[in-house]
Amino acid sequence: MFERLFRKKNIFSYIPAILAAFSSMVMGINPFSSAIFVVMVEEKVPVLITFLITSIVQLLLFGYVNTLKFLIFVIVYSIIKAFSKNTTKYDSNDIVQLAKNFLPKILIASVISEGILLITRVEELSDFPEIICYVISIALFSIVFRYAYKYYYSLLKESDEKVKYIHIISFVILFTICISFVKGINIFGVNLWIVLSIVLLMIVAWKKNIVFGILSSLLVSLVILLCTNVAIGIIILMLVVGIVTTLISKAGRKGALIGLVFSFVILLITFGRNAVNNNPAMNERMQEDYYSFLKSSLNSLSGDEYEKTSEEIARIEEMDRIQKEAQNTLSSTIIKCMLIGFFLLCVIPIKYLDYINGLVPDAPDIEDIRTRLFRVSKIYRLNPGKEENEDKKEE
């Protein structure tokens, strides 16, 4: 029994499940752990270890309400799964068939578990928008993670199933969510989570077509938007990253070098524009000395002088914050990430890039998609030939 817990496939299945326990959306909910639990049950992976660790992490990080949401959903879904007899075979790569056979149990379990929390007054009716978001998120991410785990198992050589581009994009989304626990860390004014997500996206999209770049960029940007407080403009900026990477990659290492130089020049222009200031009083060094002087003299002051000095210190701190925000805008953050990404693409040995590229299936091109969606097909006509007069034929 315990031997099954430590098989290779199962051990590697625990890693994303445990990392996802540390993730949450902006509103504080964590549907990712519930979605991964569903996938693990469907894949017949033991859930005891991840269930215990996830419950503890949820309680410590997100409080008892989120822990109860997870626990009750797990119990209800397990009961529904135990009593449901799904004898119909379906193609798990067909998203329509997967949704028909997979989603009803998830939605029923989510609605019942949330209903229990409302009846017991753990949640209030004022939380209804959050509840709807939670139910929908579990359903959507369950499908995404199901595809991601198929690709994950193929990398582990635990599955011979043929993977498609949707599997690798789903895996990138899963990986992005799993590393979101570092989203509170900033390095040189840049969010570490966004850096890692964009660099991963650029490496995966290298030498792929523009459809792959657009689709992967769009989905990763939506995940970032759901999980952290960033401007909605990140969608456009991430699309630029995906499109530029796929187009430049056609030129190989020369393209990566062009992207590196281009990103560096734009970054210099951006910082140069923000740093231009002809007022000597706004010199950074002078501002630091003035701020240090005020802080040191604060202890020896009292009355009105103390209040005025405190106000001046607060004014300088606010100006410093505004200056840093001006230098670390969302666009400059994305450019820094692109700079790091193109640098890595320049220094990573070609054989490793080719190996990664071989593991990543390409998406259909625009012409294929247009043909599939609108049933466009070419009409082939035969040459009509020459018409002869019937009288001549009789002669």
Side-chain angles (χ1 to χ4, degrees):
M1 178 181 175
F2 290 103
E3 183 183 323
R4 185 165 170 257
L5 293 173
F6 301 102
R7 290 176 185 169
K8 179 184 174 183
K9 175 183 175 181
N10 298 337
I11 290 174
F12 280 95
S13 297
Y14 302 153
I15 297 171
I18 292 171
L19 291 176
F22 293 86
S23 307
S24 68
M25 289 186 171
V26 175
M27 58 185 71
I29 59 175
N30 180 352
F32 311 122
S33 293
S34 301
I36 287 186
F37 173 83
V38 169
V39 175
M40 291 178 72
V41 169
E42 294 292 329
E43 293 289 336
K44 296 181 173 54
V45 174
V47 295
L48 178 62
I49 294 175
T50 55
F51 172 75
L52 293 174
I53 295 175
T54 300
S55 301
I56 294 169
V57 171
Q58 293 271 322
L59 184 61
L60 293 176
L61 294 183
F62 308 118
Y64 79 96
V65 175
N66 275 289
T67 309
L68 286 175
K69 287 167 83 76
F70 173 70
L71 291 175
I72 295 174
F73 174 82
V74 164
I75 294 168
V76 174
Y77 184 81
S78 300
I79 293 171
I80 293 173
K81 178 66 179 174
F83 285 95
S84 65
K85 294 181 180 180
N86 191 4
T87 53
T88 4
K89 291 184 178 180
Y90 63 93
D91 181 9
S92 61
N93 287 326
D94 188 333
I95 193 167
V96 176
Q97 291 184 23
L98 180 64
K100 284 180 181 178
N101 291 273
F102 194 50
L103 288 184
K105 290 179 287 187
I106 299 170
L107 292 173
I108 292 169
S110 302
V111 171
I112 292 174
S113 59
E114 291 300 319
I116 292 171
L117 291 172
L118 285 171
I119 292 169
T120 54
R121 299 294 182 90
V122 174
E123 289 184 321
E124 302 294 335
L125 284 174
S126 57
D127 301 323
F128 196 69
E130 181 181 303
I131 292 170
I132 295 294
C133 180
Y134 183 73
V135 171
I136 293 173
S137 298
I138 291 176
L140 290 178
F141 281 105
S142 295
I143 293 178
V144 172
F145 294 162
R146 187 76 187 272
Y147 282 120
Y149 263 81
K150 292 287 184 188
Y151 184 77
Y152 190 38
Y153 292 147
S154 72
L155 292 177
L156 298 173
K157 309 299 182 186
E158 293 290 332
S159 172
D160 296 329
E161 189 174 349
K162 186 179 179 181
V163 294
K164 299 180 180 178
Y165 72 98
I166 193 68
H167 294 88
I168 178 61
I169 292 176
S170 300
F171 180 75
V172 170
I173 293 172
L174 174 63
F175 188 87
T176 304
I177 289 168
C178 287
I179 62 171
S180 66
F181 65 91
V182 300
K183 64 185 176 184
I185 302 174
N186 290 326
I187 299 176
F188 302 112
V190 182
N191 187 292
L192 180 59
W193 181 44
I194 295 179
V195 172
L196 295 175
S197 301
I198 291 178
V199 169
L200 172 68
L201 174 66
M202 292 175 70
I203 291 174
V204 170
W206 184 252
K207 294 245 177 127
K208 297 301 168 188
N209 62 15
I210 195 167
V211 174
F212 187 98
I214 291 173
L215 189 58
S216 55
S217 304
L218 182 62
L219 293 175
V220 171
S221 64
L222 289 174
V223 169
I224 293 174
L225 199 61
L226 286 172
C227 294
T228 189
N229 288 312
V230 292
I232 198 168
I234 193 170
I235 297 176
I236 304 297
L237 293 169
M238 289 287 282
L239 284 173
V240 170
V241 172
I243 292 170
V244 168
T245 303
T246 52
L247 292 177
I248 278 182
S249 65
K250 305 302 179 187
R253 277 290 170 85
K254 291 180 181 177
L257 186 59
I258 291 169
L260 179 67
V261 173
F262 184 70
S263 303
F264 184 71
V265 169
I266 292 181
L267 197 61
L268 282 179
I269 293 171
T270 305
F271 273 100
R273 186 176 57 200
N274 291 331
V276 170
N277 197 334
N278 296 321
N279 187 354
M282 295 298 292
N283 181 273
E284 186 177 349
R285 180 66 181 173
M286 291 181 67
Q287 284 286 318
E288 288 177 1
D289 292 341
Y290 182 49
Y291 178 74
S292 301
F293 168 74
L294 292 176
K295 289 286 284 185
S296 60
S297 63
L298 193 62
N299 295 328
S300 60
L301 299 176
S302 60
D304 291 341
E305 291 183 355
Y306 180 85
E307 289 183 6
K308 288 180 181 178
T309 305
S310 299
E311 289 175 1
E312 182 68 8
I313 290 173
R315 184 188 67 81
I316 293 173
E317 288 175 347
E318 179 65 16
M319 286 182 61
D320 184 58
R321 184 187 66 80
I322 292 171
Q323 286 176 355
K324 286 180 179 177
E325 285 183 356
Q327 289 181 349
N328 297 313
T329 59
L330 183 60
S331 56
S332 66
T333 298
I334 300 297
I335 293 168
K336 290 175 189 175
C337 295
M338 290 179 70
L339 187 67
I340 296 169
F342 283 123
F343 174 76
L344 290 176
L345 289 170
C346 285
V347 298
I348 294 175
I350 292 289
K351 62 178 181 179
Y352 294 123
L353 286 177
D354 291 341
Y355 176 73
I356 295 170
N357 190 257
L359 294 174
V360 180
D362 211 344
D365 57 26
I366 296 173
E367 185 65 28
D368 287 342
I369 294 174
R370 188 175 69 90
T371 303
R372 291 178 188 178
L373 287 179
F374 303 104
R375 306 295 180 189
V376 178
S377 57
K378 293 181 180 180
I379 300 173
Y380 295 94
R381 293 183 179 178
L382 296 174
N383 190 338
K386 296 181 180 179
E387 294 183 2
E388 295 183 5
N389 196 325
E390 289 184 1
D391 295 337
K392 289 183 178 180
K393 285 183 180 179
E394 290 177 359
E395 293 178 358

